[in-house]
Amino acid sequence: MKKALFIKTILLILIIAIMGACSNKSTSKEENVNLNVQIDKLTDDEFKEVQVNYLKDPKKDDFRKFSLTFQIDGSSKKRVNIPDFKKVINTIDNQQRYWFGNSSKKESDNSDIYKSEFIFYSKGITEDTIIKAFEEKEVKVIFYKKDKIIDEKQYNIGDSLIFE
């Protein structure tokens, strides 16, 4: 009787240990992600900030504003990699298209927000060309625990791109 109880206890401990080892290896809490990528025409005030001294007959419609907001909720440890947008936009036709911009990140215990905005010279390129430049670019999130990678997710920028 005692031997049977001992064996059942050992089996129960093994089952619990196996279930714990086989649990979801990603994050302990599912992450909520929001990616917003938009390309807008400039407002009159935004165009006044653009230095166009060396361009021949510059117009407001020759420029666009790229805006990316990436928000990820959850408390797990993570590293977020966002592409170098200056490099992306300047490789369209090897012309300097990136004019100026800024990036920021706000991290807290429950939510991280990454923002990037820049003005670029869009004269002579189509929306399709812009989409193609971003179609293989992605925001990469690497989840880790004690310096060990436990999961990795990618969010495609080109698929999320909206023209306004």
Side-chain angles (χ1 to χ4, degrees), residues 42 47 52 55-64 97 99 119-125:
L42 298 187
F47 183 63
V52 292
L55 292 177
K56 185 178 178 181
D57 194 29
K59 295 178 178 49
K60 180 174 76 169
D61 288 339
D62 293 343
F63 294 87
R64 296 285 184 268
R97 295 200 169 272
W99 231 246
I119 305 298
F120 68 98
Y121 186 60
S122 61
K123 184 175 182 177
I125 57 174

Side-chain angles (χ1 to χ4, degrees), residues 19-71:
M19 288 177 65
C22 293
S23 67
N24 187 351
K25 74 172 197 170
S26 64
T27 56
S28 59
K29 188 176 174 184
E30 197 59 37
E31 305 294 327
N32 182 28
V33 172
N34 182 20
L35 175 61
N36 182 0
V37 187
Q38 194 167 312
I39 294 184
D40 297 308
K41 294 182 178 182
L42 298 187
T43 65
D44 290 335
D45 288 339
E46 289 169 332
F47 183 63
K48 288 177 187 175
E49 294 178 25
V50 177
Q51 299 293 319
V52 292
N53 300 339
Y54 64 89
L55 292 177
K56 185 178 178 181
D57 194 29
K59 295 178 178 49
K60 180 174 76 169
D61 288 339
D62 293 343
F63 294 87
R64 296 285 184 268
K65 180 172 79 172
F66 174 95
S67 302
L68 175 137
T69 302
F70 180 74
Q71 180 173 348

Side-chain angles (χ1 to χ4, degrees), residues 133-150:
F134 288 99
E135 73 184 355
E136 293 183 13
K137 304 303 179 218
E138 47 195 25
V139 175
K140 184 185 284 188
V141 182
I142 300 169
F143 300 94
Y144 60 94
K145 189 182 247 182
K146 295 183 182 178
D147 296 332
K148 182 181 176 189
I149 296 174
I150 58 172

Side-chain angles (χ1 to χ4, degrees), residues 59-97:
K59 295 178 178 49
K60 180 174 76 169
D61 288 339
D62 293 343
F63 294 87
R64 296 285 184 268
K65 180 172 79 172
F66 174 95
S67 302
L68 175 137
T69 302
F70 180 74
Q71 180 173 348
I72 183 165
D73 300 332
S75 60
S76 53
K77 292 185 178 186
K78 60 193 143 305
R79 185 173 67 229
V80 177
N81 296 327
I82 295 179
D84 179 353
F85 293 122
K86 182 176 183 178
K87 188 183 238 183
V88 172
I89 204 71
N90 283 342
T91 57
I92 287 179
D93 56 3
N94 294 321
Q95 180 177 341
Q96 181 186 339
R97 295 200 169 272

Side-chain angles (χ1 to χ4, degrees), residues 37 131 134-138 155-162:
V37 187
I131 291 170
F134 288 99
E135 73 184 355
E136 293 183 13
K137 304 303 179 218
E138 47 195 25
Y155 304 93
N156 189 285
I157 294 171
D159 291 345
S160 303
L161 194 55
I162 297 171

